[in-house]
Amino acid sequence: MLRTVAIAFFALLAPVLLSCEKVPSVTTDTNQEEQQQDNGGNTGSLKPTGSTLVVYYSFTGNCRAIVNALTTNIKADVLEILPAEEGLDYAADNYAIGSSLIAAIREKPDDASSYPAIKPVNRNAADYDTIIIVTPLWWSNMAAIMQSYLFREGSKMKDKTIGLIVSSASSGISSVVADAKRLIPEGRFLAKSLWINSSNRGQQDTLIKEWAEASFNNNDTMPDHINITVSGKTLPVAIVDNNATKALVAALREAPISYEASDYGGFEKVGPLGRSLPASDSQISTLAGDVILYSGNQIVLFYGSNTWSYTRIGRMEYGSLDELKAFLKAGQGNITVTLSL
Ligand SMILES: Cc1cc2nc3c(=O)[nH]c(=O)nc-3n(C[C@H](O)[C@H](O)[C@H](O)COP(=O)(O)O)c2cc1C
């Protein structure tokens, strides 16, 4: 079946696939080989230099070229996944090896022995907030080598922001997106994955730049403030820069968000945002005026103080405490809160 579906496709595209140019290696970590110990696992031996990790696999060089372009737009550590067995030609004999690797995973996706062995890696996904996966498509699925990495490491990506860039000749990427979500069940996937294929590869640098800008809102495009409106009155909120505020600002760029909030504990107005934001909770003692993310999906507006595990969003810029309490209708029941840019 696997073969039947794709045979026509390959009859047309094999010459294109096989003519992929060699792309110079992305500058990754020096002496990676030395730093990897052959323990069959993740040594995570290199310290992260930032909050973003780009993980890629490339057989014929297309994904490597994508990573080269991507890392001119975003600052990231780069991890290349390599098969344990060197020198295999996944495309030989009408893609026989690649085909059987994908067939084995499809048959038993929950069985570790279905996944081809990969070399140990020297970056630990748990050290990063954002992970961008750059992978080829094989027989409509994610390339088997990348699936091996995610089968082993995907559980370390809980609550991380996950970006996905897929390179194919022409097949659509919906099954690759499904593979990624199966292998990283608790990742927070960006709404838009990027698909590079034979027809748009000529414009890939522009497409990657636009995707990175839209997805990660570079600091210089991140606003200092958002607005909170209650009963026709608006207060500015000075926001901090973290993954939660980035995601909130991205959502507010689409449309303002309104929600119902109620009094709790005599110190706050709390209500459900109607969506989850990437939390990075820590123990915080709040002050009146603080705007806080609670439980990843509720916004708390403080007119008093509390100590709990929260993610900071920002601070309302108010006059006196009485004015803040009047604005939030403290102790007076439900209010409708609108957040906007
Ligand atoms: C084993 C194998 C299977 C592939 N299956 C498909 C496919 O079903 N549809 C498709 O459009 N491209 C397919 N391709 C082509 C790759 O997705 C495409 O050339 C991709 O850009 C390769 O990325 P890379 O150069 O980084 O390895 C396949 C390639 C290989 C090696």
Side-chain angles (χ1 to χ4, degrees):
M1 174 65 181
L2 201 63
R3 282 172 179 250
T4 328
V5 173
I7 268 173
F9 155 78
F10 274 112
L12 291 170
L13 283 160
V16 180
L17 303 181
L18 295 170
S19 70
C20 295
E21 282 175 28
K22 270 266 168 230
V23 177
S25 239
V26 176
T27 313
T28 50
D29 312 309
T30 50
N31 63 4
Q32 179 170 327
E33 287 293 328
E34 277 168 39
Q35 300 198 40
Q36 289 174 344
Q37 295 149 23
D38 191 14
N39 64 358
N42 180 350
T43 67
S45 57
L46 295 181
K47 276 187 132 187
T49 64
S51 62
T52 302
L53 178 66
V54 173
V55 185
Y56 80 101
Y57 166 68
S58 187
F59 174 51
T60 55
N62 291 337
C63 288
R64 186 168 296 120
I66 289 170
V67 173
N68 275 328
L70 182 63
T71 50
T72 63
N73 290 287
I74 57 163
K75 182 180 163 336
D77 290 334
V78 176
L79 173 64
E80 180 178 7
I81 306 303
L82 297 166
E85 193 171 352
E86 291 175 16
L88 286 181
D89 185 351
Y90 301 105
D93 189 19
N94 198 21
Y95 299 80
I97 300 177
S99 166
S100 64
L101 290 176
I102 290 295
I105 295 173
R106 281 188 191 172
E107 199 182 326
K108 290 185 184 168
D110 298 329
D111 187 339
S113 68
S114 306
Y115 294 82
I118 57 172
K119 291 195 173 175
V121 296
N122 59 6
R123 293 276 181 197
N124 186 353
D127 292 340
Y128 298 86
D129 294 332
T130 301
I131 294 149
I132 304 175
I133 294 150
V134 184
T135 179
L137 170 150
W138 284 6
W139 300 101
S140 294
N141 285 103
M142 181 183 288
I145 309 302
M146 182 58 86
Q147 290 205 50
S148 294
Y149 168 74
L150 293 179
F151 182 79
R152 205 177 65 197
E153 303 289 309
S155 60
K156 292 185 183 158
M157 300 179 192
K158 182 177 183 317
D159 292 336
K160 311 279 182 194
T161 300
I162 310 290
L164 183 62
I165 303 182
V166 183
S167 176
S168 77
S170 64
S171 298
I173 66 169
S174 58
S175 297
V176 183
V177 175
D179 287 334
K181 290 186 173 168
R182 169 176 57 83
L183 293 161
I184 315 172
E186 296 183 288
R188 294 173 190 271
F189 281 80
L190 295 176
K192 187 173 180 288
S193 300
L194 180 61
W195 176 24
I196 303 293
N197 52 61
S198 318
S199 24
N200 70 8
R201 209 173 303 284
Q203 297 90 53
Q204 78 175 23
D205 287 6
T206 310
L207 294 171
I208 290 165
K209 185 170 187 287
E210 286 171 0
W211 178 82
E213 278 174 4
S215 301
F216 301 109
N217 300 308
N218 294 337
N219 280 347
D220 50 357
T221 63
M222 186 77 178
D224 294 336
H225 290 80
I226 61 170
N227 292 314
I228 289 188
T229 303
V230 178
S231 300
K233 291 194 177 131
T234 299
L235 271 189
V237 178
I239 55 170
V240 299
D241 186 3
N242 59 25
N243 277 348
T245 53
K246 282 191 176 81
L248 179 60
V249 165
L252 295 178
R253 284 202 165 104
E254 305 282 317
I257 298 175
S258 294
Y259 64 92
E260 288 291 300
S262 54
D263 290 290
Y264 178 82
F267 47 72
E268 69 179 40
K269 273 281 191 326
V270 57
L273 193 60
R275 69 188 69 212
S276 289
L277 301 176
S280 46
D281 286 347
S282 62
Q283 199 75 359
I284 296 175
S285 291
T286 61
L287 298 171
D290 281 344
V291 179
I292 295 285
L293 179 67
Y294 163 61
S295 189
N297 58 10
Q298 303 199 42
I299 296 290
V300 192
L301 309 176
F302 280 94
Y303 48 84
S305 176
N306 191 33
T307 300
W308 198 258
S309 186
Y310 295 127
T311 298
R312 193 173 287 286
I313 297 292
R315 267 187 75 70
M316 289 176 275
E317 293 179 342
Y318 64 94
S320 68
L321 182 58
D322 283 346
E323 280 168 4
L324 177 68
K325 285 184 167 172
F327 173 74
L328 293 176
K329 303 197 186 326
Q332 294 170 42
N334 286 10
I335 55 171
T336 302
V337 179
T338 300
L339 306 179
S340 62
L341 288 179

